[in-house]
Amino acid sequence: MQKKDLLPIEDVREKILYSIWKLVDQKYVLFKERGINWDEVLKRYKENIKDISTYKELYEYINTMLLELHDPHTRVVYTPYNEELCIMPLFIKCTNGIYYINEVIGKYKLCKGMRLIKINNISIQEIQNRYIKYYKFQSRSYICSLLIDDFHKGKFGDVIRITAKHGNTEVSEQVNTIKLGDNLEVFNKIRNNISLFNCKVYDDSIGYLKIISFFDKSMADIIEKEVKYMKNIRCLIIDIRENSGGLINCAKDIASLFVSAQVNLGYRVSRKNGGNHLEFEIPSELHIESKNLCNHIEKIIVLCDEFTMSSAEFIFLEALLKDKKRIYTIGKQTGGLAHGASLFTLFDGTKIQITTFKYLNTNMEVVQETGIVPDVEVENDIEEMVLGEDQQLKYAIKLCNSK
């Protein structure tokens, strides 16, 4: 539907609000765990709906309502009423609570490796605290990732002032966002330069796989071919740091390449059609078959961090951890985004994501959203990382070479 065909907002705002509230009311699975009175939430948000004058405002208002659930998986993920798509010429990362510049596009005094101090003269700590107060998610790592994502998309302004520091040198510089336009040509060029998968071999005997995401359905076939090509390796390092998850079936298919036998992860359960908030379908077993592709490998080491989330942790990593005789984990505790979501597209193209099923462990208990603690916690230093030094990877290689 084209924007010009939309009905006046005053004719539909209450109907749209209620239809989304009702969809969540029928599909959402964590009302008990969240302790939310969803009827009371609707009552409050209906009281102020008449102040909404545009579709953009309406979906921002609805997203605020969804945030009452304190659930990172349930939110408005896309609306056609946002401003023109743009991107910052600076890419930032966060390690151990410290934000730093990871990449720079163009000529600036700001450079890779500088610690981010302020955005528009507001300290990065204050900005982070505002995000924590607004989102109220249990996973601080996910809140941090939202801040970084907003920064990259230019949501702090078309022209912003960045203050960063390296050693005793502090630089404050104005930075302009890059307008991408409707054809997304620039965005596609940037996106195509970001590989979702990387593969290499160290010392002829240690394989390395970097998996950025589980959103590409073809990834399992690609990785399977690469693993078969590395048939002579005795150890394998799988790097899922900064992997925020993706498609559950994709994560399962890739995990099946590495587990040595069938793995039972537990169960998943969804709401019963027409039932109340506490009525669910019969739990379905969540298991992964083994393709017996890596049974010859002596050790499999998984690198994870606080930005390893969702299906990357509670499907992929959890599956590999069942094979404890040869699996080791190194890095930082994962983000703690359990459970699964479905995407719903509305009449105008707006996309709403809702947590529609929850995971139960093998004891039929709801999986806790606390993340997975690695066998060995190893910190990476920002200055070393900028220079290409990776202490977590070094430790993994050292473990591969030990008897």
Side-chain angles (χ1 to χ4, degrees):
M1 179 180 291
Q2 300 296 319
K3 293 182 185 179
K4 63 182 180 181
D5 298 327
L6 294 172
L7 294 171
I9 188 67
E10 58 269 18
D11 294 342
V12 296
R13 57 195 173 195
E14 290 188 28
K15 182 178 179 180
I16 293 174
L17 174 74
Y18 179 76
S19 65
I20 294 175
W21 176 90
K22 189 65 177 177
L23 184 63
V24 174
D25 187 62
Q26 294 173 337
K27 301 292 185 180
Y28 190 70
V29 292
L30 295 171
F31 282 117
K32 179 182 178 181
E33 287 76 12
R34 292 294 187 262
I36 297 294
N37 184 331
W38 196 230
D39 292 316
E40 187 273 333
V41 170
L42 176 64
K43 181 180 178 181
R44 279 192 287 113
Y45 279 81
K46 283 177 67 176
E47 291 176 354
N48 298 317
I49 193 70
K50 292 181 180 179
D51 296 332
I52 302 299
S53 59
T54 67
Y55 277 87
K56 180 178 182 295
E57 289 178 359
L58 175 63
Y59 285 116
E60 289 175 348
Y61 187 68
I62 289 171
N63 198 49
T64 302
M65 178 182 74
L66 297 179
L67 288 175
E68 298 265 355
L69 295 167
H70 303 162
D71 186 337
H73 277 133
T74 300
R75 57 195 173 92
V76 177
V77 295
Y78 168 79
T79 172
Y81 311 104
N82 289 331
E83 295 81 3
E84 181 183 3
L85 189 63
C86 60
I87 194 166
M88 287 296 299
L90 302 178
F91 291 86
I92 63 174
K93 284 189 175 184
C94 181
T95 299
N96 304 325
I98 300 173
Y99 294 83
Y100 67 99
I101 299 172
N102 185 58
E103 201 65 60
V104 180
I105 301 174
K107 296 181 179 179
Y108 290 95
K109 294 179 182 178
L110 296 162
C111 61
K112 182 176 180 179
M114 282 188 159
R115 179 172 176 174
L116 187 61
I117 304 297
K118 296 178 182 178
I119 301 175
N120 291 332
N121 296 318
I122 303 173
S123 74
I124 189 66
Q125 288 77 18
E126 173 61 25
I127 293 172
Q128 178 175 270
N129 289 338
R130 292 178 184 181
Y131 270 69
I132 292 171
K133 184 177 180 179
Y134 177 71
Y135 286 105
K136 299 178 182 177
F137 297 148
Q138 182 172 326
S139 174
R140 294 295 175 87
S141 298
Y142 186 74
I143 295 174
C144 175
S145 70
L146 289 174
L147 190 162
I148 292 173
D149 192 49
D150 283 351
F151 178 87
H152 289 161
K153 290 179 179 178
K155 291 188 176 182
F156 287 91
D158 293 338
V159 181
I160 65 175
R161 177 159 292 277
I162 299 295
T163 304
K165 191 174 184 179
H166 184 268
N168 295 322
T169 303
E170 185 170 295
V171 175
S172 183
E173 191 172 18
Q174 181 175 293
V175 178
N176 299 325
T177 57
I178 302 171
K179 300 294 183 182
L180 300 182
D182 293 334
N183 60 12
L184 302 183
E185 181 179 353
V186 177
F187 175 76
N188 286 329
K189 285 182 179 179
I190 295 172
R191 182 185 64 181
N192 291 336
N193 286 329
I194 301 174
S195 174
L196 297 179
F197 169 71
N198 186 24
C199 174
K200 62 179 71 174
V201 176
Y202 295 99
D203 302 326
D204 297 324
S205 63
I206 302 173
Y208 171 85
L209 300 175
K210 172 68 175 177
I211 307 174
I212 299 293
S213 163
F214 291 118
F215 280 105
D216 190 336
K217 295 179 181 178
S218 65
M219 285 284 290
D221 291 336
I222 296 171
I223 293 175
E224 182 172 356
K225 290 178 182 178
E226 292 293 341
V227 172
K228 287 179 178 178
Y229 179 75
M230 296 189 294
K231 60 183 178 181
N232 294 323
I233 62 172
R234 57 181 179 78
C235 295
L236 178 62
I237 300 170
I238 304 175
D239 189 348
I240 55 170
R241 293 174 295 180
E242 298 184 328
N243 185 324
S244 61
L247 303 174
I248 291 172
N249 285 336
C250 179
K252 289 175 62 178
D253 290 343
I254 295 175
S256 71
L257 303 175
F258 306 112
V259 295
S260 60
Q262 178 177 306
V263 170
N264 179 18
L265 293 175
Y267 305 86
R268 75 179 206 173
V269 61
S270 58
R271 291 275 300 282
K272 181 177 289 186
N273 288 334
N276 62 40
H277 292 177
L278 299 179
E279 291 183 289
F280 298 93
E281 299 289 353
I282 297 173
S284 58
E285 186 175 303
L286 190 59
H287 67 271
I288 296 175
E289 300 288 345
S290 171
K291 288 194 173 182
N292 299 313
L293 189 64
C294 297
N295 288 0
H296 64 287
I297 295 177
E298 298 172 11
K299 297 177 185 176
I300 295 180
I301 299 172
V302 184
L303 298 178
C304 60
D305 65 8
E306 62 268 44
F307 299 106
T308 302
M309 302 180 189
S310 195
S311 58
E313 51 181 336
F314 288 108
I315 297 295
F316 182 81
L317 181 55
E318 189 69 33
L320 269 62
L321 288 175
K322 299 292 184 180
D323 197 358
K324 260 299 184 185
K325 291 182 180 179
R326 60 175 185 154
I327 300 290
Y328 304 86
T329 51
I330 295 172
K332 302 287 291 294
Q333 183 171 343
T334 61
L337 264 70
H339 313 303
S342 301
L343 200 61
F344 299 87
T345 302
L346 306 185
F347 69 99
D348 57 359
T350 294
K351 297 182 185 298
I352 307 290
Q353 184 174 275
I354 301 172
T355 303
T356 52
F357 53 88
K358 56 185 174 181
Y359 299 142
L360 310 179
N361 61 26
T362 53
N363 295 322
M364 299 294 285
E365 300 165 333
V366 177
V367 170
Q368 298 300 304
E369 300 169 73
T370 54
I372 297 171
V373 179
D375 296 316
V376 181
E377 291 205 41
V378 178
E379 299 276 0
N380 263 344
D381 180 77
I382 290 176
E383 294 189 4
E384 290 182 348
M385 291 173 65
V386 171
L387 296 173
E389 296 290 328
D390 187 337
Q391 295 300 327
Q392 293 167 347
L393 178 58
K394 280 186 175 181
Y395 193 98
I397 294 174
K398 180 180 178 181
L399 183 58
C400 287
N401 288 323
S402 65
K403 294 183 180 180

